[in-house]
Amino acid sequence: MRCQRCKGQASVEVRRHHTAFCNEHFIEFIDRQVERAIEGGKMFTRDDRVLVVVSGGKDSLALWDVLHRLGYRTSGLYINLGIGEYSQESQRKAEGYAAERGMDLLIADIPHDYGMGVDAFARATGRVSCSACGLSKRYLFNKVALDEGFPVVATGHNLDDEAAVLLGNLLHWQTAYLARQAPVLPSTHPALVKKVKPFYRIAERETAAYAIIRGIDYIIEECPNSVGAKSLLYKEALNLLEQAAPGTKQSLYWGFLERGRPLVQTQDDPDLRACVHCGQPTTAEVCAFCRMTERAAARMQVRRHSAHAASSDAPPETPSRERPVPAHPVIPAG
Amino acid sequence: MRCQRCKGQASVEVRRHHTAFCNEHFIEFIDRQVERAIEGGKMFTRDDRVLVVVSGGKDSLALWDVLHRLGYRTSGLYINLGIGEYSQESQRKAEGYAAERGMDLLIADIPHDYGMGVDAFARATGRVSCSACGLSKRYLFNKVALDEGFPVVATGHNLDDEAAVLLGNLLHWQTAYLARQAPVLPSTHPALVKKVKPFYRIAERETAAYAIIRGIDYIIEECPNSVGAKSLLYKEALNLLEQAAPGTKQSLYWGFLERGRPLVQTQDDPDLRACVHCGQPTTAEVCAFCRMTERAAARMQVRRHSAHAASSDAPPETPSRERPVPAHPVIPAG
């Protein structure tokens, strides 16, 4: 195949656009798609400081790379989620990328700041890992952006990610989630930072091709918690459809943005107030992240206490109900 | 596994309901689901004459079988579409089913009445076969029902069929099609018969199990035109999802009916008038079926004329523009 632009040997085929590019013009294609997303969605300008959330994977490092090359004012944010070796390795990739290029990287460290990682949050509160992880990431990138004065946070979600989330929301007709799914979520409260997804026009295999062509050293392994995740199943189903009819994912997601989302976007913005514990915006008295981390901390305390009691050969000195540490602290179930 | 009802040996598992049944109680389960569909959707009563469109396949014969057993006043309608040996074989199955049980079957014969089958309609008018076929069936079952005084037409579309159509409409955000997808399409004009799908709560493997248990002899082959059809691809993708999460198809389609369809159901009923050629309801001057069959007839005439001209060794007696049969009849393109 020939490059659509220069007629030289093509290296990347983009079937859904019936085209192909050489390395140089593929990068140009990506740049053009990202600029269209940023300008079309009024995501940010070259004057705005943009916080790019980087996981160490191909999508987010590629996004940071594109935005930096295009002259946007970016800093990276790596969030250590405490997922064992996977987190350590992905942090090395993010740090390596930034250090090599002299780019500004912030680190948020959940195990350091909260005493445990997202897996422990999940176990202790009966959430699935991906739910505890997503909640933690959304909380932290908003908090860091606010604390550090960034008006906008960019994430590396690509077309495949968005199409898979959309399919999941449609399979269960989650109309509230459908209403909130968009490449641009404006700030609806002074303490809620604008969130944007400049890669929503770019397919996953294209972000991978970009990262390879640009020589970005990223973590190839998937998160160990993603094994059996519904999102991977939805991607598999969409890949089957895309294979038979290139452009299906784009048609699903872009069509939703054009014709589907306006139908569900009826509800008003919720009333937000400051969490009484951390000050972050929430619809409740205490925000979901504080509720999760506080419940996790309380449960961990119970576990340590029980373990101690079980390992002791001596009979307890006092009946358990009189112990100073409550054996059954009141923890809301929901 | 044990039958949920009688605790005897189960023969059919219904994973999406976390249950299983013996033959007898599976039939009872199917009957209950069909009654719920009919009553919940106010489809028809035991006083109404119902025209059941039967293709000779498992779904439509199973539907006719259920409705007949449940005491509804039914007649079958078989439409010969002129798809070679497949049509002949499926007609034999429909006729055999009706004859064995002494049930009333009407036959509509497209090649006999219109001089060619749906494949020829498709070829001559540049439609895909499934489009020409669907248009012909919708036209004919409405016409036969009107002519024979049936207030309602029932088709054997099952949950898998409806979920696949829905997925296709969502992948392309066909909002007009979404608005019209429902198990009950009421009559919106005196010449437009009500259409219902009493099997919309029943999965495809359940209609197959029903047909086998009831000893119905149906045509097993798929229509030869369905090879490569998008509907089969959508079913494959949905089967992948259903396998991993039983209940996915049900959640997609029933969720759409409950929460999705009310969002798209905004447009008014179109203004219908009588087709000037056949009198059937249409939004245009001439209905789509008459346009298709008339264009097909005109093209066939052109082909025969050209073949005659090419095979003749003698020079034409008159220049072609002066021939009495126009070489290029004016045929609208769209």
Side-chain angles (χ1 to χ4, degrees), chain A residues 166-167 170-175 230 233-234 236-238 240-241 244-245 248 251-253 255-256 259-260 263-264, chain B residues 166-167 170-175 230 233-234 236-238 240-241 244-245 248 251-252 255-256 259-260 263-264:
Chain A
L166 176 56
L167 179 61
L170 288 171
L171 289 175
H172 303 98
W173 286 93
Q174 305 267 30
T175 50
K230 281 285 158 61
L233 177 67
Y234 300 152
E236 193 185 339
L238 288 172
L240 180 77
L241 298 167
T248 299
S251 160
L252 171 65
Y253 186 55
F256 165 71
R259 298 187 294 282
L263 301 172
V264 287
Chain B
L166 176 56
L167 179 61
L170 288 171
L171 290 175
H172 302 98
W173 285 93
Q174 304 266 29
T175 49
K230 282 285 159 60
L233 177 68
Y234 300 152
E236 192 185 340
L238 288 171
L240 180 77
L241 298 165
T248 299
S251 160
L252 170 65
F256 164 71
R259 299 188 294 283
L263 302 172
V264 286

Side-chain angles (χ1 to χ4, degrees), chain B residues 24-87:
Chain B
E24 180 192 338
H25 290 116
F26 177 70
I27 301 293
E28 205 180 88
F29 162 77
I30 294 289
D31 290 354
R32 204 164 54 241
Q33 294 296 325
V34 171
E35 287 283 26
R36 278 184 70 175
I38 293 171
E39 285 163 19
K42 296 189 171 53
M43 290 183 175
F44 45 78
T45 69
R46 282 181 173 72
D47 295 328
D48 295 320
R49 291 179 66 218
V50 180
L51 185 65
V52 184
V53 185
V54 292
S55 66
K58 64 186 185 321
D59 300 301
S60 53
L61 289 180
L63 175 62
W64 196 10
D65 195 76
V66 172
L67 296 182
H68 182 73
R69 270 196 312 96
L70 292 176
Y72 291 99
R73 296 174 64 196
T74 59
S75 295
L77 167 64
Y78 176 81
I79 301 174
N80 185 324
L81 301 155
I83 307 175
E85 171 56 29
Y86 174 77
S87 283

Side-chain angles (χ1 to χ4, degrees), chain A residues 58-59 158-161 202-209 222 235 249:
Chain A
K58 64 186 187 317
D59 300 302
N158 58 42
L159 176 59
D160 295 48
D161 296 327
I202 320 255
E204 193 156 298
R205 61 183 290 281
E206 293 156 20
T207 66
E222 293 281 345
K235 283 188 177 180
K249 292 172 196 172

